[in-house]
Amino acid sequence: MTTVLLVGAIGQARYMTHIARAHMMPPWLAHVNAKTGTPINATVVMLAATALIAFFTKLEILADLLSVSTLFIFMFVAVALLVRRYYVTGETSSRDRNKFLMFLGLILASSIATAVYWAMERDGWIVYAVTVAVWFLSTVGMKFLVPQARAPKLWGVPLVPWLPSASIAVNIFLLGSIDEKSFVRFGIWTGVLLVYYFLFGLHATYDTAKATLKEKSTLKNAEEGSVAADKSGRAALDH
């Protein structure tokens, strides 16, 4: 837990720096120290927040909450990998997209059903046989019936869709072993962050992106004007 909290604080400080650069948080947190080359303000804030949470929270609660968030992230990464490999906007046909969504939905549904049945501590293997079969056949269907829309240029995850599909199943299964209160805490915290993002963060990132685009456009126009002036000057000298 000490290692996870320490690494999490250092890593999250870098995330906070980029978030602050998008003006979703005070820009003061995006300051990078000239001597150390590190986001010192964000690091201090994250270390203080992590220390306070660790000091006032029971170890069991903290461990379960970290497990929920970590497993959710791993599961969504696997889903994102499948989406990236099998779907490209404007290139993937509607038929292939619908087949991909159907198989992905079946993989998620069968994995959730397996985890829920395990958490219910019921005896019997019939349900497992059905859910595992659905997961397996869905993965087979995605493999052979849906063409990949994007291939990695240098290196990519091998055995797609088997590894991402297995990652989805394993992470959801492990989520089923965590107590209900941890999911409630995770849901409340996620809801608070989503409200903050939609009410403030979304507008802040849009305004920042718009300002950045305007700056790039101004710079491009200035460069084009400089080139045009240079060509005009050369033409005048030639005559």
Side-chain angles (χ1 to χ4, degrees):
M1 293 303 299
T2 302
T3 305
V4 170
L5 290 172
L6 182 59
V7 174
I10 300 299
Q12 289 294 330
R14 271 67 182 172
Y15 290 135
M16 184 179 289
T17 301
H18 288 283
I19 293 172
R21 286 174 180 171
H23 289 196
M24 286 194 292
M25 298 187 75
W28 174 80
L29 293 170
H31 173 70
V32 176
N33 185 270
K35 183 178 181 180
T36 62
T38 58
I40 188 169
N41 294 345
T43 302
V44 170
V45 170
M46 281 304 305
L47 285 172
T50 302
L52 287 172
I53 293 172
F55 187 78
F56 290 105
T57 307
K58 292 183 179 180
L59 180 60
E60 295 80 5
I61 295 175
L62 192 59
D64 285 340
L65 193 56
L66 283 174
S67 296
V68 171
S69 58
T70 302
L71 292 171
F72 258 105
I73 291 171
F74 288 168
M75 186 267 292
F76 280 122
V77 167
V79 171
L81 175 60
L82 290 176
V83 172
R84 180 170 176 78
R85 286 287 185 91
Y86 284 94
Y87 181 77
V88 175
T89 303
E91 296 183 13
T92 304
S93 65
S94 299
R95 182 179 179 183
D96 290 336
R97 180 199 61 196
N98 293 336
K99 287 191 296 183
F100 168 71
L101 291 175
M102 179 186 68
F103 289 130
L104 180 61
L106 288 173
I107 290 171
L108 290 169
S110 60
S111 301
I112 293 172
T114 303
V116 170
Y117 191 73
W118 172 267
M120 294 171 63
E121 299 181 351
R122 300 288 182 86
D123 295 329
W125 54 270
I126 297 178
V127 174
Y128 294 121
V130 172
T131 56
V132 172
V134 171
W135 171 85
F136 179 78
L137 293 175
S138 301
T139 308
V140 170
M142 184 178 293
K143 173 67 176 178
F144 294 105
L145 299 179
V146 183
Q148 292 193 25
R150 182 187 284 112
K153 294 182 179 179
L154 297 176
W155 184 89
V157 175
L159 300 176
V160 175
W162 294 104
L163 280 182
S165 181
S167 177
I168 292 171
V170 170
N171 284 296
I172 292 179
F173 181 79
L174 292 174
L175 282 169
S177 64
I178 299 175
D179 65 289
E180 181 181 352
K181 292 182 179 179
S182 297
F183 283 98
V184 173
R185 298 186 186 99
F186 178 74
I188 293 173
W189 182 239
T190 302
V192 170
L193 291 179
L194 286 175
V195 169
Y196 174 82
Y197 176 73
F198 285 114
L199 294 182
F200 177 77
L202 189 62
H203 302 285
T205 52
Y206 175 79
D207 293 339
T208 303
K210 190 174 180 180
T212 303
L213 184 63
K214 185 177 180 180
E215 290 177 1
K216 289 182 178 180
S217 178
T218 303
L219 181 61
K220 183 179 179 180
N221 293 334
E223 291 176 349
E224 291 176 351
S226 176
V227 171
D230 184 56
K231 288 182 178 180
S232 299
R234 289 180 181 178
L237 289 175
D238 292 339
H239 289 294

